[in-house]
Amino acid sequence: MAEVLTWPAPATAVLATLVRERLPAEFSDVWVGTKIPNPTHPRMVRVSRTAGGGMATHGQTDHVYALFECWADDEDGAEELANVVRAVLKSSPGHWAHDTFIRWWKENSGPYSWPDASEQVRFQFTGEILLKI
């Protein structure tokens, strides 16, 4: 009998979909993705997978470390957007995104200002999420 292989969904696609689909209506103009668009948008969130984590030894969970970068036209707007994304992630366990079940979320660093070469203000934060395989 052939071995049945299972593998994780692309974590950045899962996370971008999760954030995009769960943002409140007043944030419907926010662009969410994995690459900075050209031209940029007034409010943006970029999701990146960072070093660390990996597939659990039992093969049913992908442990993802992620960076969330949030841009807006001013400091208050960028920090508010980061806080809204944090709230989305905190409420995500038990939900599905990109056909993937979210098991768990943990924030590793709260939002902090990270200067950007553009005219926009960026706040970013990191965390860990467990995705069912």
Side-chain angles (χ1 to χ4, degrees):
M1 177 182 267
E3 179 182 2
V4 176
L5 296 176
T6 58
W7 53 87
T12 53
V14 173
L15 293 172
T17 300
L18 174 70
V19 171
R20 188 180 309 111
E21 290 180 350
R22 295 182 55 84
L23 281 173
E26 60 267 31
F27 292 86
S28 63
D29 66 309
V30 173
W31 177 91
V32 181
T34 60
K35 303 283 185 210
I36 298 172
N38 184 8
T40 60
H41 296 260
R43 297 197 294 181
M44 303 184 300
V45 176
R46 178 171 60 177
V47 179
S48 303
R49 186 169 188 159
T50 62
M55 196 165 17
T57 55
H58 57 68
Q60 296 303 308
T61 301
D62 190 14
H63 189 161
V64 178
Y65 285 67
L67 169 67
F68 298 86
E69 299 168 276
C70 304
W71 285 270
D73 290 332
D74 59 40
E75 190 168 314
D76 288 347
E79 187 173 9
E80 178 186 35
L81 180 54
N83 285 333
V84 170
V85 174
R86 292 167 71 202
V88 165
L89 292 161
K90 184 176 186 220
S91 70
S92 67
H95 293 276
W96 291 80
H98 200 69
D99 296 324
T100 302
F101 185 74
I102 313 300
R103 295 184 185 271
W104 175 84
W105 162 257
K106 176 187 168 201
E107 187 174 296
N108 290 334
S109 70
Y112 54 94
S113 178
W114 192 261
D116 189 75
S118 74
E119 296 293 317
Q120 290 181 289
V121 178
R122 173 175 51 184
F123 268 69
Q124 61 185 35
F125 65 96
T126 61
E128 302 170 50
I129 197 160
L130 299 182
L131 305 176
K132 185 179 185 318
I133 296 174

